[in-house]
Amino acid sequence: MTDPRHARKRALLRVLSLILLLGIAASLIDLSEVWVRLRAIPLWIFAVMVAIQAGIVLILSWRFAILARSVGAHLRLTEATRLTFLTTLGNLLLPTGLAGDAGRVLLVRKYGLSLSTAMAVGVFDRIIGLAALGAIVLVGAIAAASILPIYVAFAAFVLPTTITVAILIWWQRSAKNKAALGPAFLSVAGLSAALSIFAHLASILIAYLFFLEQGAPVGFFGVLVLFPAVLLAATLPISVGGWGTREFAAAAAFATIGVEAPTAIAMAVIFGLSQAVAAAIGSAATTLFSQTDAAR
């Protein structure tokens, strides 16, 4: 079990890190320019972004459900959707990093999985998403070779893919999971990878819509290559919900193609805000549906 005192210390460090990042940003960048760009986004475009974010969570819910079911979990898609919306919201707002995903893994134990199998599903769920993200970077680098060296994109694809294959091999050799992992599970892994790619492409579309509205000099393939770095930065366990790290990564990545820092930061902020709004609405809606369904 994790020592609660250590957990509190890590949470405090994340909050302090967020404050530090905001202070650095305020000293280096005119935040009023960021605000100007945020205010320029029409409400209907923000609503479209929120809708896309909700669609992303639905895709990830489906991926999580089919992975969990493939190893014997008795998990309905509606419940997987509720858990995924709640964990997305938790990961964005809580200073405990992966607490939301850890909570989801523990909750899945109620549906017939052992702790080790539930944790393996959670890890595989993340790793296959990274492999899909690497594949997108590779395609983008091939289409826009001037932005990113092909060998860097190739490494971004090969590393998580190798880890994914290694997990599959380990799973196959595990006595407990040998019966579960076979051609059927491999087809599930393929479907999970496809869903991951769709989810990442939807995230990239949100960033592209923002740049398009701002008139920034960014083509779709440019976003395809550079935005994955923003998504990865948001997962670093050094801030609260990726706030700060996501914005710094956006400024650094898109500066390589001439995008001004306030514009790139505003894009990252609007991405995080639309994700939080979608997660909050989805969490409320799915929880209400769950309670109504249980009362019948």
Side-chain angles (χ1 to χ4, degrees), residues 14-92:
R14 290 172 190 270
V15 173
L16 293 176
S17 176
L18 174 60
I19 294 172
L20 177 62
L21 289 171
L22 292 176
I24 294 173
S27 65
L28 296 177
I29 300 163
D30 186 354
L31 296 183
S32 65
E33 289 295 321
V34 176
W35 176 241
V36 167
R37 286 158 175 77
L38 290 174
R39 290 184 60 186
I41 295 298
L43 184 59
W44 72 269
I45 288 186
F46 182 72
V48 169
M49 292 176 177
V50 170
I52 295 174
Q53 291 282 17
I56 292 170
V57 177
L58 292 175
I59 291 172
L60 297 180
S61 302
W62 186 12
R63 184 184 72 185
F64 182 69
I66 63 175
L67 282 173
R69 288 173 182 173
S70 69
V71 290
H74 305 293
L75 179 64
R76 293 186 303 171
L77 181 58
T78 53
E79 190 63 13
T81 301
R82 185 178 72 87
L83 293 177
T84 306
F85 268 115
L86 287 170
T87 54
T88 300
L89 185 62
N91 285 339
L92 284 168

Side-chain angles (χ1 to χ4, degrees), residues 207-222:
Y208 179 67
L209 285 175
F210 179 87
F211 287 130
L212 195 64
E213 173 64 25
Q214 293 287 314
V218 186
F220 181 76
F221 287 111

Side-chain angles (χ1 to χ4, degrees), residues 1-13:
M1 296 290 291
T2 302
D3 190 331
R5 291 175 299 179
H6 293 165
R8 286 194 293 270
K9 288 179 180 178
R10 287 195 295 270
L12 178 60
L13 286 174

Side-chain angles (χ1 to χ4, degrees), residues 20-190:
L20 177 62
L21 289 171
L22 292 176
I24 294 173
S27 65
L28 296 177
I29 300 163
D30 186 354
L31 296 183
S32 65
E33 289 295 321
V34 176
W35 176 241
V36 167
R37 286 158 175 77
L38 290 174
R39 290 184 60 186
I41 295 298
L43 184 59
W44 72 269
I45 288 186
F46 182 72
V48 169
M49 292 176 177
V50 170
I52 295 174
Q53 291 282 17
I56 292 170
V57 177
L58 292 175
I59 291 172
L60 297 180
S61 302
W62 186 12
R63 184 184 72 185
F64 182 69
I66 63 175
L67 282 173
R69 288 173 182 173
S70 69
V71 290
H74 305 293
L75 179 64
R76 293 186 303 171
L77 181 58
T78 53
E79 190 63 13
T81 301
R82 185 178 72 87
L83 293 177
T84 306
F85 268 115
L86 287 170
T87 54
T88 300
L89 185 62
N91 285 339
L92 284 168
L93 302 181
L94 297 178
T96 48
L98 300 179
D101 287 322
R104 179 171 65 176
V105 168
L106 292 174
L107 284 170
V108 166
R109 291 187 65 193
K110 298 192 308 181
Y111 301 96
L113 296 184
S114 66
L115 178 58
S116 60
T117 303
M119 290 181 66
V121 169
V123 170
F124 189 76
D125 188 51
R126 278 190 169 270
I127 293 298
I128 203 165
L130 288 176
L133 194 61
I136 288 174
V137 172
L138 183 60
V139 171
I142 293 172
S146 62
I147 297 177
L148 187 71
I150 193 66
Y151 63 85
V152 175
F154 185 72
F157 169 67
V158 169
L159 182 59
T161 301
T162 301
I163 296 174
T164 302
V165 172
I167 292 175
L168 286 173
I169 293 173
W170 167 80
W171 210 329
Q172 177 67 68
R173 293 179 177 178
S174 171
K176 292 182 179 179
N177 297 303
K178 188 171 292 186
L181 181 60
F185 183 78
L186 292 177
S187 67
V188 165

